Each structure stands twice: as structure tokens, then as C-alpha cells.
Amino acid sequence: MTDQTIAKPGEPAVVTGPVLGIETSCDETGVAVYDRARGLLAHRLYSQIRLHADYGGVVPELASRDHVRKLLPLVRQTLADAGLRLDDLAGVAYTAGPGLAGALLVGAAAARALAWALERPAIGVHHMEGHLLAPMLEADPPEPPYVALLVSGGHSMLVEVTGIGRYRLLGDTLDDAAGEAFDKTAKLIGLPYPGGPALARLAETGMPGRFRFARPMTDRPGLDFSFSGLKTQVLLAWQASDGGETTRADLARGFEDAVVDTLAIKCRRALAATGARRLVIAGGVGANRRLRAQLAEAAEADGFRVHFPRPAFCTDNGAMIALAGALRLAAGQHADPAIAVRPRWELESLEAVGA
């Protein structure tokens, strides 16, 4: 199993030194080396966008096979970038879930094999915890307690963070997450894959206010998210329109405004409910320019601090996995030797690290 366990007598209590991080949860192969004393030493990322573009979405079997082809060359290149040899590694971290089972198994098998050959400890990292901790890679990392908005792929959630591994789910996705809604809406109005970034770029040219859509679930108490109805509103508006390029851009702007407003409203509610004065934004949608600008304005108006990872660390990457793994290995946690993954894995089930 990939559950974390505390080191027993006779085992290394902590791991210090460089930790290799491997991310293969979906359609991006990420590798990085992180050292708690020196920070991020190197990272590389390979995206499978071109591979899946012809299919309009991720094909799990193709994703797994491409991870097999790309992972070990990326490991060699990343170690060379860091000026390290395999023997210099103190531990290995890998994404154990959630994600696509076949893709996760590629990373888990490679990580466990490396750890066994090097006689180093290894640990399976929760993908969403990686995103949650990604802002710690920046020069001004957030200190708990804080509220985190995680908007990555099929996940849109608000989490109260009081320490590493100390997470309380405040709000979750009931149907389509924000990232899914971006991708599906883009496809509905005829944008190419990957749709989310294409829609965001198009929205920059659209006229604000021409199309105004509902801000889902903001007219009632609670912090859960639901974006499937918004997607349907855009489809109906598109079908009733002239289908022109100007209309497409204006629809994209109206949709993006609705998503950004909804996320911002829920973030402010979560801060008010918890009393936290720090907000962390993580995950792919966290790279959205309009979301960043609106939350920065809200932070200035309400007097809280907002932390964003750099855009490269919003999408899936090995750096966040190396960081999360290094923190847990340093606390004496490690993974069972079996090669196993957890495609479904609750964030709140993680063990806390330290006080």
C-alpha cells in the first residue's frame, strides 16, 4: 500500500539531502530534485498535449505508454541539470494518487525500482497535497493557518490548512470542476484542445458584460462548487447566437467572468468562515490571469494575503512532488515497498507532519 508509516527503531528517522520527485498522474511527465537545505535544484516537464490533441482529450493507455518512453530520459536530464548522480539522492518521491491508474503505476514502478537499487527510502505523495504545497517553492512561502483553493483538472475544492497533513475540506466539487468546465465549454464553442487555455486567451479579446451568466451556488450558503449548469448556459447562448468570432470571444469572456467571480466569492466566504488571513491558490486554473487579478484586488480590499505559485508550478509538475516528498521523508515517513497506487485518495486521510 502507499499509506505513509513512521520510521521504526533501526530505520532512518529522517531523510536529509536531495529528493527526486516523479509526477505521472495524467498527461504530463514531471521530474525534479528538491533539497530542503538548498531548495529546488532542477526540474523538467514533458507535456503530452500533441499526443492527445487528435482525440480531443486524454487517452489513458496512450498516456501510460508515453510516460514509459519519457520518464527515465527525463530523470537523467534532471539529475544532470542539478549536477548530481543517482548515488547523491537521499530519497525518492512519486505521485501515488489520485490520477489515472496506469499512468500512476509507471511513476510508482520507476520510483520504487530506483529506491530499491539505491537502498534509499521512497514515499508516495498525494497529488493534491503537491499542489497545495507548491507555493512553498516560492521566495515568500505561506505560513499556516491558511485557506487553499485547489483548482486542478477534475478538482475544485477549498481546504483549511493548519499544518502539513492537517487539512479540513471546506467545499468540494458536486459535478463539473472549474477546470473541466473550461475544457468542456471550449469544446462546445469549437475551440481546439487543450480547451481551457484556448478559452482563457480568447476571453481576453471578448467584450465584458455582453453575456452575463449565473454565478453557480453563490445565491445560497455553503462552499461547494457546481459548474455543469454554467456550461449548459453557454451552450444555449451559443446555439442561439450568430456563431461569429466576435460572439465566440464575448461568450468566452462571459463564461470566464462567471467562473472567476464564483471562485472569488467562495474564497472570501471561506476566509470569513475560518478567520484565516492567508489564501493560497493552486492547480492549473490558478494560472488564470483574471482570477489572479481579481483575488489580488480582493486581498487588498479585505486585508488578507494571497499566495500564488508561479504559472509553471500551477500545472502538474515534479517540483511539487519532490517538495512534498522531501518534507514527509524528513519527518521519518516512508512508503511500503510494494508498487501500488491509489487512483482515488481522500486528502483528509493524510497523516500530519510535525506539530
Side-chain angles (χ1 to χ4, degrees), residues 8-345:
K8 299 177 177 62
E11 295 177 339
V14 298
V15 171
T16 59
V19 172
L20 179 71
I22 293 174
E23 155 62 25
T24 61
S25 65
C26 189
D27 61 340
E28 288 165 315
T29 312
V31 179
V33 180
Y34 179 84
D35 188 307
R36 291 184 70 217
R38 294 183 286 166
L40 184 63
L41 303 182
H43 68 97
R44 283 191 177 241
L45 183 71
Y46 170 77
S47 173
Q48 299 178 359
I49 285 177
R50 290 185 180 179
L51 176 66
H52 301 288
D54 290 342
Y55 305 94
V58 176
V59 181
E61 179 62 24
L62 295 181
S64 302
R65 293 181 182 185
D66 214 37
H67 286 310
V68 172
R69 287 190 288 266
K70 304 298 184 187
L71 180 55
L72 292 183
L74 274 181
V75 169
R76 288 193 289 267
Q77 291 165 2
T78 305
L79 287 173
D81 292 343
L84 299 174
R85 301 172 304 170
L86 280 172
D87 284 344
D88 296 323
L89 295 174
V92 182
Y94 58 96
T95 302
L100 301 175
L104 291 168
L105 281 168
V106 174
R112 288 302 318 172
L114 280 172
W116 179 82
L118 297 170
E119 297 183 334
R120 303 290 195 273
I123 190 164
V125 171
H126 193 292
H127 179 78
M128 297 308 292
E129 181 174 55
H131 279 301
L132 194 66
L133 301 180
M136 294 179 65
L137 292 163
E138 305 303 332
D140 183 24
E143 290 287 339
Y146 56 80
V147 167
L149 173 67
L150 297 180
V151 275
S152 172
H155 302 274
S156 289
M157 59 178 69
L158 283 160
V159 181
E160 182 182 26
V161 178
T162 55
I164 297 172
R166 300 179 186 274
Y167 310 131
R168 180 168 70 96
L169 188 62
L170 302 172
D172 205 350
T173 306
L174 301 183
D175 42 55
D176 280 358
E180 288 177 312
F182 263 96
D183 289 338
K184 292 179 180 179
T185 299
K187 190 172 183 178
L188 290 176
I189 62 175
L191 296 179
Y193 177 86
L199 189 149
R201 288 192 297 270
L202 181 62
E204 292 181 2
T205 68
M207 178 186 297
R210 180 184 173 190
F211 292 96
R212 180 171 175 81
F213 302 110
R215 276 52 176 163
M217 298 185 70
T218 59
D219 58 348
R220 67 191 77 173
L223 296 170
D224 289 331
F225 299 97
S226 171
F227 290 104
S228 63
L230 175 59
K231 175 189 65 182
T232 303
Q233 289 180 53
V234 176
L235 174 61
L236 294 175
W238 176 243
Q239 291 175 336
S241 75
D242 58 16
E245 288 305 311
T246 299
T247 298
R248 193 194 311 269
D250 294 344
L251 275 169
R253 177 60 186 267
F255 167 82
E256 184 181 60
D257 283 346
V259 173
V260 168
D261 283 352
T262 300
L263 294 176
I265 289 168
K266 294 298 180 87
C267 284
R268 295 170 98 164
R269 283 186 186 177
L271 289 168
T274 60
R277 305 309 301 160
R278 292 183 181 88
L279 177 67
V280 163
I281 310 300
V285 180
N288 182 275
R289 294 181 183 178
R290 208 172 306 283
L291 177 63
R292 287 180 172 236
Q294 185 158 326
L295 287 174
E297 291 175 4
E300 185 174 353
D302 294 356
F304 63 86
R305 293 191 63 187
V306 60
H307 297 262
F308 303 98
R310 70 195 76 171
F313 293 158
C314 287
T315 57
D316 295 350
N317 63 88
M320 67 183 190
I321 303 304
L323 167 65
L327 294 173
R328 290 191 170 273
L329 288 169
Q333 297 184 7
H334 60 88
D336 185 283
I339 298 173
V341 295
R342 299 179 66 173
R344 296 182 181 273
W345 191 1

